[in-house]
Amino acid sequence: MGESRAMAESSRARLFVLFLDTYHVDVAASHNIRGPLVEALDRMIGRDDLVGVMTPEMSARDVTFARKTTTIEGFLTRYWHWGERDRMIPPDPEDEAYGFCYPNSTAPNDPCKDQDGVAAEMIDRRHEKRSLDALQDLVRFLRGVREERKAILAISNGWLLFRPNQQLMRPLKCHGVPSGPAVGIDPRTGRLTSKPPDTGVPRNATCETDRVNLAQIDDEREFREILDEANHANASFYPVDPRGLAVFDTPIVRSDVPGKPPAMTPLVVDRAMLTGRLTSLRTLAEATDGGGSSRI
């Protein structure tokens, strides 16, 4: 790690970081982007240039820089399935816990129907927050590495930039009221179960705390802060949407939340979401002198 940091501090080499936004790229896109991405890096990166890889699950201080793109090619070949968006089996236990805490109702007159969609929005907000926090961490890290220009290739579908939502933190009729165990879907077997994920903490209390905290996030403000800090850090973003020319933002039927019945996103809502994501990528590039966002 020390040798990697020393190489990065040298002004002789250009510095590139490949940011793989696991939360906002699906597995098909992460597979399809591998070849074109390696070819693009081969064209862009010179013999003395340095490149590293980061994901939202990493700390920026854990990024290791290398001179050869073969290192990146090997990583993308081994982990071509890094995209996690809209997976049928959520790998994150916190996502699973939200689904068990706030299962959607299938009965028209169910008094608990007011919590429909709560888990899905909490998951989306948590994922976006983690991605933006990682980008901010990366920008701050790069500012301390060197003064010369840095380039960040952000592979992402873009972000919705959630604002505070008082409706999300509203009191729910069923939550906190003693009742039978919630029925959900065990992500390991795909079968119905009433057993919550083993998180080691009181499930309902943790979910309620997270619900209030996630309802108050302001990702639009954090996004603007990232742009300002990137300019002060002399770092440019080059975003790439691996979907290519996307027509829809969400799958026709979304069922990525445990305990959530399949639901369709209205077309007008889907169009607004797609536009918002593409706008965020375009703004990321234009505001940091990285040029327009690309699609591979």
Side-chain angles (χ1 to χ4, degrees), residues 21-26 85 127-128 131 156-159 277:
D21 190 0
T22 54
Y23 289 125
H24 299 95
V25 173
D26 62 40
R85 186 188 181 203
H127 289 181
E128 184 171 282
S131 291
S156 175
N157 293 355
W159 309 279
R277 291 188 192 279

Side-chain angles (χ1 to χ4, degrees), residues 185-192:
I185 299 175
D186 189 330
R188 294 162 295 187
T189 64
R191 298 177 180 177
L192 292 176

Side-chain angles (χ1 to χ4, degrees), residues 86-105:
D86 297 326
R87 283 196 176 186
M88 295 297 292
I89 302 178
D92 194 317
E94 289 192 51
D95 291 353
E96 297 177 47
Y98 295 161
F100 278 99
C101 283
Y102 309 101
N104 280 13
S105 172

Side-chain angles (χ1 to χ4, degrees), residues 10-88:
S10 172
S11 60
R12 295 179 55 189
R14 294 182 300 171
L15 203 62
F16 296 84
V17 177
L18 184 62
F19 182 82
L20 304 178
D21 190 0
T22 54
Y23 289 125
H24 299 95
V25 173
D26 62 40
V27 67
S30 67
H31 175 267
N32 294 337
I33 195 67
R34 182 184 62 83
L37 190 55
V38 170
E39 293 178 6
L41 289 172
D42 281 338
R43 293 194 303 267
M44 294 171 55
I45 298 176
R47 183 180 59 183
D48 295 326
D49 295 335
L50 296 171
V51 61
V53 178
M54 181 176 175
T55 69
E57 295 84 2
M58 295 173 57
S59 165
R61 296 188 177 277
D62 294 331
V63 174
T64 301
F65 294 97
R67 281 203 169 91
K68 295 183 179 180
T69 57
T70 52
T71 303
I72 306 301
E73 182 177 7
F75 176 88
L76 294 175
T77 299
R78 291 193 304 274
Y79 301 107
W80 59 266
H81 52 283
W82 56 266
E84 296 181 0
R85 186 188 181 203
D86 297 326
R87 283 196 176 186
M88 295 297 292

Side-chain angles (χ1 to χ4, degrees), residues 7-17 49-50 65 139 142-143 145-153 227-238 284-291:
M7 289 192 302
E9 292 173 351
S10 172
S11 60
R12 295 179 55 189
R14 294 182 300 171
L15 203 62
F16 296 84
V17 177
D49 295 335
L50 296 171
F65 294 97
V139 167
L142 291 177
R143 184 177 185 180
V145 170
R146 58 192 293 184
E147 293 294 330
E148 290 78 14
R149 200 72 173 169
K150 284 81 65 174
I152 302 171
L153 282 70
L227 300 179
D228 290 340
E229 293 188 38
N231 286 321
H232 285 116
N234 204 15
S236 293
F237 279 99
Y238 297 86
L284 186 68
E286 293 174 351
T288 60
D289 294 328

Side-chain angles (χ1 to χ4, degrees), residues 119-174:
E121 183 171 350
M122 288 177 64
I123 290 172
D124 289 344
R125 283 174 170 263
R126 176 174 175 269
H127 289 181
E128 184 171 282
K129 177 66 173 171
R130 294 200 68 182
S131 291
L132 294 182
D133 285 351
L135 282 177
Q136 190 169 51
D137 181 36
L138 176 60
V139 167
R140 291 173 177 174
F141 169 73
L142 291 177
R143 184 177 185 180
V145 170
R146 58 192 293 184
E147 293 294 330
E148 290 78 14
R149 200 72 173 169
K150 284 81 65 174
I152 302 171
L153 282 70
I155 314 301
S156 175
N157 293 355
W159 309 279
L160 298 178
L161 301 182
F162 288 104
R163 301 297 307 277
N165 181 5
Q166 296 298 320
Q167 185 67 11
L168 181 60
M169 68 173 72
R170 70 191 184 279
L172 299 175
K173 294 179 181 178
C174 292

Side-chain angles (χ1 to χ4, degrees), residues 109-115 170-178 211:
N109 299 319
D110 189 342
C112 297
K113 201 167 181 60
D114 67 337
Q115 67 186 22
R170 70 191 184 279
L172 299 175
K173 294 179 181 178
C174 292
H175 209 67
V177 178
R211 183 164 70 95

